[in-house]
Structure formats: C-alpha cells, structure tokens
Amino acid sequence: MKSRFDYDMTMDVIMRRWPGTIRVILGHGLLCVGCPIASFHTVMDAAREHSLDEDMLIDDLTKVMK
C-alpha cells in the first residue's frame, strides 16, 4: 500500500489510509464517507464534481496526512 499521497488515489483509499482526512473532507462539504462513488473518485474528480478549489483541498488533506 502507498504511504504517501498520490493523485491517483481514490477518496476511499485516502480516508481509510488517513482517517483524520475525514474531518477535512466533511469540512469542505463533501459527503464521501459511505458514498459508493468514493471508491472511484480521486481528489481531482471530487473537487470538480463539487466545484471546489482542488489545490486548496489537496493542501488541507496533506496537512492532516503528515
């Protein structure tokens, strides 16, 4: 399993690998927790679908991943 963030990771993998990211994801208004699409969507996909700033979302996620 990958130990660092990778742009190809799905939201599901990110939340499982770094549970602290769930708070960030919910804070951005994403409802990825329990969503069947989370196992297919990358951060870029989720940001695009919800009209979020991808760079800001990634920055916030990676802060929690450290």
Side-chain angles (χ1 to χ4, degrees), residues 7-8 16 26 28-29 33 36 38-41 43 49 56 61:
Y7 288 96
D8 293 327
R16 289 177 190 277
L26 293 173
H28 278 272
V33 179
S39 60
F40 301 101
H41 268 180
V43 173
E49 289 294 321
M56 183 182 292
L61 290 170

Side-chain angles (χ1 to χ4, degrees), residues 4-57:
R4 285 198 240 172
F5 173 74
D6 182 312
Y7 288 96
D8 293 327
M9 286 180 169
T10 64
M11 296 300 285
D12 185 60
V13 168
I14 290 169
M15 290 184 291
R16 289 177 190 277
R17 182 89 177 144
W18 297 281
T21 60
I22 293 171
R23 197 172 326 147
V24 172
I25 290 166
L26 293 173
H28 278 272
L30 299 171
L31 300 176
C32 299
V33 179
C35 176
I37 303 300
S39 60
F40 301 101
H41 268 180
T42 62
V43 173
M44 181 172 50
D45 295 331
R48 183 183 62 242
E49 289 294 321
H50 296 276
S51 301
L52 298 174
D53 181 310
E54 178 187 350
D55 292 328
M56 183 182 292
L57 179 58

